[in-house]
Amino acid sequence: MRRPVIAGNWKMYKTQAETRAYFATLAPLVARSMHCDIIVAPPFTALPAAVEAAHGNSISISAQDVCGEAEGAFTGEVSAAMLVDTGCRAVIIAHSERRKFFGETDERANKKIKAALAAGLTPILCVGETLAEREGGKTEEVLERQFRSGVAALDGTDFLPIILAYEPVWAIGTGDTATPEMAAEAHLFLRQRAAEAFTPELASGLRILYGGSVNPGNIKGLMAQVEIDGALVGGASLNPEAFASIVNF
């Protein structure tokens, strides 16, 4: 039985003061939510405040990105060791906005996954197709390329802690959501690719989240699908009451 994961990605929102206020509201709302893992991903500057505010409860803190290099002359980058030093336990890798706006490549995502794993972080690898790719019948081609390139050269031990997030680009921030059946179909395809790349046993334990305009109104329908193991929540995670409602689906 795969344990569900509900993760909130704040993107470029919230100061440290806003972060502390958020957790003061969220923590009591999810204090008894033992049915799933809860992850919150603030921006880099709010990570220490988030770790401090989440201390002593069941909420884990994730970063939104990481550098694939351990250290060096990489202005503006943050290493996996630095994230661990703040208290982070996970990191989102290759979110569609990183791919679209900042030129994130599959090869770079693979390097970031390896860096995260070496530092003891849980990578949350994002994959997903654009509207043009879906309408062109290329969804499976895109998902297979992004998955295989992202986990290239990993062995089963390395792959074990990875979480996948299927986020159709056309559904992110648009209010449009893939139907539960559409999402489950993509999740099943990814699980089959994992079985081919590694083993059926590892694939059966792989947790695959859905991301794309998830909100309190559609989370139950999504979570009713056996192939959907949780959600990567964007805009709705900025409101602690709304995010708690999603956690407590």
Side-chain angles (χ1 to χ4, degrees), residues 74-227:
F74 303 104
T75 301
E77 291 296 296
V78 176
S79 73
M82 292 172 181
L83 296 181
V84 172
D85 190 48
T86 69
C88 274
R89 296 172 61 186
V91 59
I92 299 171
I93 293 175
H95 188 280
S96 65
E97 290 161 358
R98 300 299 308 176
R99 294 179 187 268
K100 179 179 179 181
F101 299 123
F102 302 101
E104 186 77 278
T105 64
D106 295 327
E107 292 73 23
R108 195 175 300 157
N110 176 257
K111 195 168 186 177
K112 291 181 177 184
I113 287 173
K114 291 177 180 176
L117 289 169
L121 292 167
T122 297
I124 304 173
L125 172 63
C126 299
V127 297
E129 81 283 6
T130 64
L131 181 59
E133 289 166 340
R134 172 164 280 275
E135 291 180 340
K138 296 183 177 180
T139 295
E140 292 187 351
E141 176 185 333
V142 170
L143 294 183
E144 178 154 13
R145 185 196 75 239
Q146 292 176 340
F147 171 75
R148 290 194 181 276
S149 297
V151 302
L154 297 183
D155 61 25
T157 302
D158 288 333
F159 180 71
L160 188 60
I162 290 177
I163 296 173
L164 284 188
Y166 167 61
E167 40 165 40
V169 179
W170 49 269
I172 296 173
T174 64
D176 293 328
T177 308
T179 66
E181 292 76 18
M182 290 167 60
E185 183 179 355
H187 285 216
L188 178 59
F189 177 80
L190 288 166
R191 200 174 305 284
Q192 289 170 340
R193 300 292 77 75
E196 292 175 359
F198 299 99
T199 67
E201 291 74 23
L202 281 177
S204 68
L206 172 65
R207 295 187 289 182
I208 308 177
L209 317 183
Y210 171 76
S213 296
V214 177
N215 58 60
N218 60 30
I219 185 63
K220 287 185 179 180
L222 291 166
M223 293 305 296
Q225 298 291 320
V226 67
E227 284 295 334

Side-chain angles (χ1 to χ4, degrees), residues 8-11 13-14 19 23 40-47 50-51 61-64 88:
N9 175 19
W10 289 0
K11 308 188 181 186
Y13 293 96
K14 297 196 184 297
T19 296
F23 279 97
V40 174
F44 286 133
T45 55
L47 287 174
V51 169
I61 304 302
S62 170
Q64 298 175 15
C88 274

